């Protein structure tokens, strides 16, 4: 009851103060408490798509056992039929259905999952002949209620594929209902993105044109020109901007948001122990401020052992603790009140340099300290592969939310402004847009702002097309509040995603049909 009352107060405050106000970022700790879990599952989305007997209304027709286990039909007290995979000895022992996938189509997947004890990750896995298994998505399933597993796959092949379910804990039964696999062409997906963009990002403007005396004009030609975008869409920058007026002009006329690629990192600011040097970072901050460009602070500390300043690598724990505390205090107080975000402990899902040496609460403590020094600024986690790839369980949305829980439930961190940073470094191949959408859907249940913080796509023939698809997918999602690309001019070393050539002319990218742009 108390929780409900607090939730209601929060809703009212949000209405009065606008969704940007800090109270609306309040975070309810505990993954389980936030994610939807139902007594009875919903019906299969899109009628199940190409899945046969998706709701098990015809018993187990169309479904087979995969691996060593067994399956059986069950009926709930309300008469709902579902299927149970049990007697499992391998993580992939489950139920399976063979479907036909067609090259070039996006397949959106969903199913309702329950297990018979505790809570466990359950994944949907696509088994394609002569290919590695492809993870389509994961859910933290629970005993006692149904959770929605969603995700998808892009088919860059035409083949049959087996839909399987995976749980590493073989002692649990996997209960499945309302399975859906719905194909979309890229054109259909794009139309859907456009519809979401219309809904989420556009609003109606009403004009009233009158004479000076207040009488309405009968007919008037009104022309409107958008001069500025409300949505924070920015670009990384580096030290080359200090000495290049071309780079400065190019940047300032396009972007109002930025992140410095390396110049605010510890190894840049304190290359030798005790010799801090903020000359470059300060100069870039001044350039940004002169041009009304907001800055994300990147980063206070970085949990990857590789990227510590050389002198940090061999410190004893005591020395490291002192040095790291000094670093946090130094950089955060220097720029306190001047930034819109801090990446606090960069990549602390993949890595644990500070945790390994200083104890498992290291990240939580630095979040706390940074927020004390800069309480108006949103403190972000920042991680790669969460939205780019489905295979890396260490950084999937379940792991991400677990880390958030851990940091934000640490004593003193309740109610701090926190954000979800997804880097977005995409490799070769068609991005898995259906999976990307499911990641954003899951993370949006936290209520925290989500930013794409370092978007780029490696050089490849379809680079421009893939970058556009990625940007549209992210932009059309309601929970995304900003996007920064790590891209820029060739002369500044942006050789993965190059936006302009050495003459600051738009980089020419091959398109289909012989066009260039
Ligand atoms: C369950 O597994 C055991 C051991 O593998 C096996 O002997 C038994 O037949 C299985 N039961 C069913 C119903 O498949
Ligand atoms: C208001 O101004 C317009 C344009 O000068 C004129 O045509 C119109 O009659 C005026 N209306 C009134 C109520 O004075
Ligand atoms: C600080 O860095 C700047 C830019 O790299 C350099 O010119 C300057 O000499 C450095 N200052 C010190 C005291 O090392
Ligand atoms: C750190 O220690 C390693 C091995 O213990 C040594 O090879 C390296 O030179 C040391 N680095 C520094 C900067 O002292
Ligand atoms: C399909 O995509 C995967 C991952 O991007 C890649 O490894 C594989 O080679 C591709 N296959 C084909 C037939 O293009
Ligand atoms: C991009 O530039 C960096 C630094 O100049 C270099 O190390 C890297 O190899 C380049 N990458 C490519 C793909 O050319």
């Amino acid at each position: 009851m108390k929780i409900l009352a607090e939730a209601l107060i929060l809703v009212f405050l949000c209405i009065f103060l606008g969704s940007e106000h800090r109270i609306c970022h309040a975070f309810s700790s505990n993954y389980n408490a936030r994610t939807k879990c139902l007594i009875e599952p919903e019906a299969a989305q899109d009628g199940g798509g190409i899945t046969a007997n998706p709701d098990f209304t015809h018993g187990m027709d169309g479904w087979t056992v995969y691996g060593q286990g067994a399956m059986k039909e069950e009926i709930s007290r309300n008469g709902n039929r579902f299927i149970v995979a049990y007697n499992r000895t391998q993580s992939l022992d489950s139920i399976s259905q063979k479907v036909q996938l067609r090259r070039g189509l996006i397949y959106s997947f969903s199913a309702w999952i329950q297990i018979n004890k505790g809570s466990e990750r359950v994944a949907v896995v696509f088994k394609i002949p002569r290919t590695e298994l492809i993870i389509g998505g994961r859910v933290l399933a629970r005993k006692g209620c149904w959770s929605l597993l969603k995700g998808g796959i892009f088919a860059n092949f035409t083949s049959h594929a087996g839909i399987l379910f995976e749980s590493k804990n073989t002692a649990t039964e996997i209960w499945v209902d309302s399975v859906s696999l719905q194909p979309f062409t890229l054109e259909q997906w794009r139309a859907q993105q456009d519809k979401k963009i219309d809904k989420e990002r556009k609003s109606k403007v009403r004009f009233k044109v009158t004479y000076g005396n207040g009488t309405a004009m009968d007919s008037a030609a009104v022309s409107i020109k958008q001069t500025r975008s409300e949505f924070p869409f920015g670009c990384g920058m580096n030290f080359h901007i200090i000495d290049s007026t071309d780079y400065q002009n190019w940047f300032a006329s396009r972007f109002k948001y930025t992140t410095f690629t390396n110049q605010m990192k510890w190894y840049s600011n304190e290359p030798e122990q005790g010799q801090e040097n903020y000359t470059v970072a300060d100069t870039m901050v001044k350039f940004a401020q002169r041009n009304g460009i907001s800055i994300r602070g990147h980063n206070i500390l970085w949990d990857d052992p590789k990227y510590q300043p050389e002198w940090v690598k061999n410190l004893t724990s005591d020395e490291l603790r002192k040095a790291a505390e000094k670093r946090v205090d130094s950089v955060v107080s220097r720029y306190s009140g001047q930034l819109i975000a801090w990446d606090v402990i960069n990549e602390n899902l993949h890595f644990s340099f500070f945790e390994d040496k200083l104890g498992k609460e290291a990240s939580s403590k630095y979040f706390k300290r940074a927020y004390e020094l800069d309480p108006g600024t949103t403190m972000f986690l920042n991680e790669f592969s969460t939205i780019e790839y489905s295979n890396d369980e260490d950084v999937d949305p379940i792991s991400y939310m677990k880390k958030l829980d851990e940091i934000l439930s640490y004593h003193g961190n309740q109610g701090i402004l926190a954000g979800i940073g997804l880097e977005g470094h995409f490799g070769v191949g068609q991005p898995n847009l259906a999976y990307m959408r499911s990641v954003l859907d899951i993370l949006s249940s936290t209520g925290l702002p989500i930013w794409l913080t370092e978007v780029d796509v490696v050089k490849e023939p379809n680079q421009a097309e893939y970058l556009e698809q990625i940007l549209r997918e992210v932009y059309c999602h309601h929970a995304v509040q900003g996007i920064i690309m790590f891209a820029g001019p060739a002369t500044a070393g942006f050789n993965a995603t190059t936006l302009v050539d050495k003459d600051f002319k738009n980089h020419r990218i091959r398109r289909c049909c012989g066009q260039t742009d």
Side-chain angles (χ1 to χ4, degrees):
M1 199 56 212
K2 185 162 168 283
I3 292 169
L4 183 65
E6 277 171 7
L8 282 174
I9 289 166
L10 203 65
V11 167
F12 285 123
L13 282 172
C14 287
I15 291 166
F16 285 121
L17 300 174
S19 62
E20 288 309 303
H21 195 272
R22 64 166 61 184
I23 194 115
C24 307
H25 293 165
F27 176 83
S28 85
S29 200
N30 189 327
Y31 181 100
N32 277 354
R34 281 190 311 266
T35 47
K36 186 156 101 172
C37 201
L38 305 180
I39 297 303
E40 293 291 351
E42 290 171 3
Q45 285 175 9
D46 306 304
I50 61 169
T51 321
N53 187 21
D55 293 302
F56 306 105
T57 43
H58 306 292
M60 300 190 286
D61 281 6
W63 294 89
T64 55
V65 169
Y66 180 83
Q68 304 303 310
M71 66 178 187
K72 64 184 173 193
E73 191 186 346
E74 294 276 356
I75 301 180
S76 76
R77 239 179 273 157
N78 302 329
N80 176 55
R81 285 166 194 273
F82 58 96
I83 207 161
V84 172
Y86 69 105
N87 212 14
R88 303 172 53 246
T89 53
Q90 305 285 320
S91 56
L92 276 171
D93 287 353
S94 64
I95 62 160
S96 176
Q97 180 171 125
K98 218 174 246 182
V99 290
Q100 181 67 28
L101 301 185
R102 270 187 39 219
R103 184 185 169 88
L105 296 186
I106 298 171
Y107 289 86
S108 190
F109 178 86
S110 62
W112 289 85
I113 305 290
Q114 183 167 174
I115 55 176
N116 64 334
K117 50 180 100 132
S119 68
E120 295 286 340
R121 258 193 187 78
V122 175
V124 60
V125 178
F126 295 95
K127 185 173 164 45
I128 294 138
R130 293 176 302 281
T131 305
E132 283 176 59
L133 298 169
I134 298 175
I135 305 270
R138 299 185 196 83
V139 68
L140 194 64
R142 287 192 256 170
K143 173 181 161 50
C145 58
W146 294 90
S147 302
L148 181 60
L149 165 56
K150 49 188 165 179
I153 182 175
F154 178 79
N156 61 354
F157 47 79
T158 293
S159 168
H160 60 84
I163 302 174
L164 316 176
F165 297 89
E166 177 187 54
S167 167
K168 296 218 164 98
N169 183 352
T170 55
T172 58
E173 295 176 354
I174 304 176
W175 302 8
V176 180
D177 201 0
S178 307
V179 185
S180 173
L181 191 66
Q182 174 68 29
F184 296 90
T185 63
L186 282 165
E187 292 72 29
Q188 286 167 336
W189 197 268
R190 170 67 189 270
Q192 227 188 57
Q193 289 175 332
D194 289 347
K195 239 166 110 176
K196 282 161 68 78
I197 288 170
D198 283 348
K199 176 164 170 280
E200 300 297 339
R201 306 294 182 194
K202 295 184 182 173
S203 51
K204 291 208 167 94
V205 179
R206 200 162 141 186
F207 289 91
K208 190 176 167 192
V209 185
T210 64
Y211 292 108
N213 61 15
T215 305
M217 257 181 216
D218 266 351
S219 63
V222 177
S223 83
I224 303 164
K225 188 174 163 210
Q226 180 168 358
T227 56
R228 207 166 78 81
S229 170
E230 172 90 351
F231 184 83
F233 178 59
C235 195
M237 63 163 76
N238 65 23
F239 67 93
H240 287 281
I241 205 158
I242 293 173
D243 293 323
S244 164
T245 46
D246 284 342
Y247 190 3
Q248 290 169 14
N249 294 337
W250 176 82
F251 197 101
S253 61
R254 281 168 179 75
F255 300 110
K256 291 289 171 215
Y257 291 84
T258 195
T259 302
F260 306 163
T261 53
N262 296 320
Q263 290 70 30
M264 226 181 247
K265 289 174 178 166
W266 196 3
Y267 65 64
S268 300
N269 303 152
E270 196 179 357
E272 305 290 338
Q273 182 161 25
Q275 297 180 20
E276 292 183 343
N277 188 338
Y278 288 99
T279 311
V280 174
D282 283 353
T283 309
M284 289 169 70
V285 167
K286 286 202 194 85
F287 164 76
Q289 289 173 340
R290 268 202 316 279
N291 291 282
I293 297 165
S294 302
I295 306 164
R296 297 189 75 257
H298 176 75
N299 47 56
I300 300 174
L301 293 171
W302 193 349
D303 236 347
D304 186 343
K306 252 200 332 279
Y307 294 108
Q308 306 306 324
E310 272 312 310
W311 61 269
V312 165
K313 293 180 179 170
N314 287 1
L315 297 180
T316 64
S317 295
D318 277 346
E319 291 165 344
L320 177 66
R321 183 174 293 109
K322 286 202 193 85
E325 280 170 9
K326 182 161 165 279
R327 157 64 180 173
V328 175
D329 285 16
S330 170
V331 73
V332 180
S333 42
R334 186 173 199 88
Y335 300 116
S336 178
Q338 302 184 66
L339 309 177
I340 56 165
W342 278 113
D343 292 331
V344 183
I345 317 291
N346 206 37
E347 297 169 358
N348 61 353
L349 282 103
H350 271 117
F351 306 107
S352 54
F353 179 78
F354 294 97
E355 280 76 4
D356 292 346
K357 301 200 179 226
L358 306 177
K360 64 178 172 31
E361 291 175 332
S363 285
S364 303
K365 286 182 178 159
Y366 293 131
F367 263 78
K368 182 172 177 201
R369 181 62 183 153
Y371 196 67
E372 280 166 8
L373 293 169
D374 194 4
T377 300
T378 307
M379 302 289 154
F380 277 76
L381 276 79
N382 192 47
E383 198 49 78
F384 63 93
S385 290
T386 303
I387 195 161
E388 300 93 314
Y389 304 108
S390 61
N391 57 351
D392 194 344
E393 192 177 296
D394 292 345
V395 296
D396 75 1
I398 300 169
S399 299
Y400 203 114
M401 288 163 78
K402 189 162 163 271
K403 193 74 178 180
L404 270 172
D405 278 348
E406 193 183 298
I407 291 171
L408 297 181
S409 62
Y410 180 73
H411 176 69
N413 284 353
Q414 290 73 22
I416 73 173
L417 288 176
I420 292 175
L422 306 173
E423 294 180 13
H425 294 294
F426 289 85
V428 291
Q430 166 70 39
N432 186 346
L433 300 175
Y435 182 75
M436 286 176 67
R437 186 170 296 179
S438 72
V439 167
L440 294 172
D441 284 347
I442 297 167
L443 292 175
S444 72
S445 70
T446 61
L448 298 179
I450 300 175
W451 279 60
L452 271 281
T453 54
E454 309 181 9
V455 177
D456 61 8
V457 176
V458 297
K459 268 208 171 62
E460 69 133 284
N462 298 319
Q463 184 188 32
E465 192 183 325
Y466 294 160
L467 178 61
E468 181 175 356
Q469 288 178 10
I470 290 160
L471 292 177
R472 285 182 182 280
E473 187 57 44
V474 171
Y475 183 61
C476 80
H477 199 285
H478 67 91
V480 174
Q481 296 193 4
I483 303 173
I484 306 278
M485 297 185 291
F486 265 21
T491 50
F494 288 97
N495 51 7
T497 303
T498 310
L499 297 179
V500 282
D501 64 19
K502 63 179 179 19
D503 302 316
F504 284 81
K505 296 273 187 311
N506 281 349
H507 189 60
R508 295 169 84 82
I509 291 163
R510 265 183 304 128
R511 287 267 197 167
C512 74
C513 333
Q515 292 168 322
T516 60
D517 68 4

